[in-house]
Amino acid sequence: MVRLKTALILAGGKGTRFKEKTLEIPKPMIEANGKPLMSHIMDIYNKYGVSNFVVLAGYKNEEISKYYSTKYVQKDENIFSLPNSVTVTVLDTGLETMTGGRLRQGIESIDDQDFYLTYGDGIGTIEIDELTDFYYRNNSLVTLTAMRPPARFGSLEIDENLVIKFGEKDNSNEGWINGGVFVVNRGVLEYLIDDDEPFEKTPLETIAKQKFLSAYKHNGFWQPVDTIRELEILENQLNSVEWKNYLSK
């Protein structure tokens, strides 16, 4: 069983669909049951041995650094030391940079050949070890985690664990969507040409066409957070026995 050590967290967007909170803080810093979404995400990965987190920040990145500087040991201007030998680096990737450009900067800041990439506003009971094993079995450049969609999300077409069509945020059907939890090989750099290009558009569409994008299917709990109602759903789940059992396994 391979265990990776590094996770990049996309946390630079403006979160315009959740302005009740994001006028003051970036969306991954919204608190669920008294703790930022991003911290809940780190708890998941740390459970599977991940100790190095790179936060791909942009909008209100200073709020992220301020949070960590007041709670933990600051090793450098943007590097923080947390319990359990965890290191968090807050990387300012620019206010207007798209996810492809943020990812490029993140990859260039690490030495890892393979690593995790995740959106900073979705939480689920994903078995990271199973996801990682799936990635290596399929010998993919990128593995995404496919989720059952809320209706407002786009769709994926999957054939024998390969994504054959990637339709981000089109009219959804009853199939699968990109849940924003990836395992990535740094070879993806050659697809990240334009910092103004979302990772989810030309880069992933091209990788899918070349049959280098595989999909790990997750049927368990997963909750994106774009509204107060979705935050309430997540908070209820974080108090559930299912969630506590998942974290304690």
Side-chain angles (χ1 to χ4, degrees), residues 163-174:
V163 177
I164 59 174
K165 183 178 178 184
F166 187 97
E168 181 72 1
K169 296 185 181 178
D170 297 332
N171 292 330
S172 181
N173 56 32
E174 60 184 10

Side-chain angles (χ1 to χ4, degrees), residues 111-131:
D111 296 324
D112 308 62
Q113 190 67 23
D114 301 293
F115 56 90
Y116 300 112
L117 171 71
T118 186
Y119 298 160
D121 59 355
I123 295 173
T125 55
I126 299 158
E127 301 293 342
I128 300 296
D129 280 352
E130 291 183 10
L131 167 64

